Amino acid sequence: MEATVNNAEKYLGQFCMLLASYTRKNARLRDKVDLLIKQIMDFANTENPELRRCLKDFGEELSKIQDYRQAEVVMFMEMSTSVELVKM
């Protein structure tokens, strides 16, 4: 029984560390893409109407991906917290 508990503690700790690392890296990526979207929108405002529309559409699609990424980060943060609580 003690070996099972020790094994679970070991692996749950590793899961927590890796999940936290993944979440932080994903959040940094999300921040960089937010900057990219802003640059795309700023550039779009300087171009002709046809290119402006295409760039803004592209920026909006990237923004939708960012919304998904934000939901993913929140979900992983909640999972990490849950695993830490179970570990205690």
Side-chain angles (χ1 to χ4, degrees), residues 52-69:
R52 179 181 304 136
R53 182 180 49 79
C54 292
L55 288 169
K56 287 190 176 207
D57 288 348
F58 178 63
E60 288 171 8
E61 293 302 317
L62 274 178
S63 182
K64 290 175 188 175
I65 293 169
Q66 289 305 97
D67 291 344
Y68 175 80
R69 186 168 280 135

Side-chain angles (χ1 to χ4, degrees), residues 23-71:
T23 302
R24 285 189 302 272
K25 287 181 181 183
N26 204 359
R28 282 194 298 270
L29 177 61
R30 186 192 65 228
D31 293 342
K32 293 293 183 185
V33 176
D34 286 342
L35 293 173
L36 176 62
I37 291 169
K38 183 183 179 329
Q39 286 291 313
I40 290 170
M41 293 301 191
D42 289 347
F43 177 58
N45 290 329
T46 66
E47 290 300 318
N48 64 53
E50 186 174 326
L51 182 55
R52 179 181 304 136
R53 182 180 49 79
C54 292
L55 288 169
K56 287 190 176 207
D57 288 348
F58 178 63
E60 288 171 8
E61 293 302 317
L62 274 178
S63 182
K64 290 175 188 175
I65 293 169
Q66 289 305 97
D67 291 344
Y68 175 80
R69 186 168 280 135
Q70 175 63 28

Side-chain angles (χ1 to χ4, degrees), residues 65-78:
I65 293 169
Q66 289 305 97
D67 291 344
Y68 175 80
R69 186 168 280 135
Q70 175 63 28
E72 185 179 49
V73 166
V74 169
M75 179 189 68
F76 282 128
M77 288 174 65
E78 290 172 357

Side-chain angles (χ1 to χ4, degrees), residues 4-20 78-88:
T4 302
V5 171
N6 289 338
N7 197 34
E9 285 179 351
K10 174 187 171 187
Y11 284 102
L12 286 176
Q14 290 174 349
F15 291 157
C16 285
M17 287 185 343
L18 291 171
L19 195 55
E78 290 172 357
M79 285 176 57
S80 179
T81 302
S82 298
V83 171
E84 287 176 2
L85 291 175
V86 169
K87 188 178 158 191
M88 292 178 167

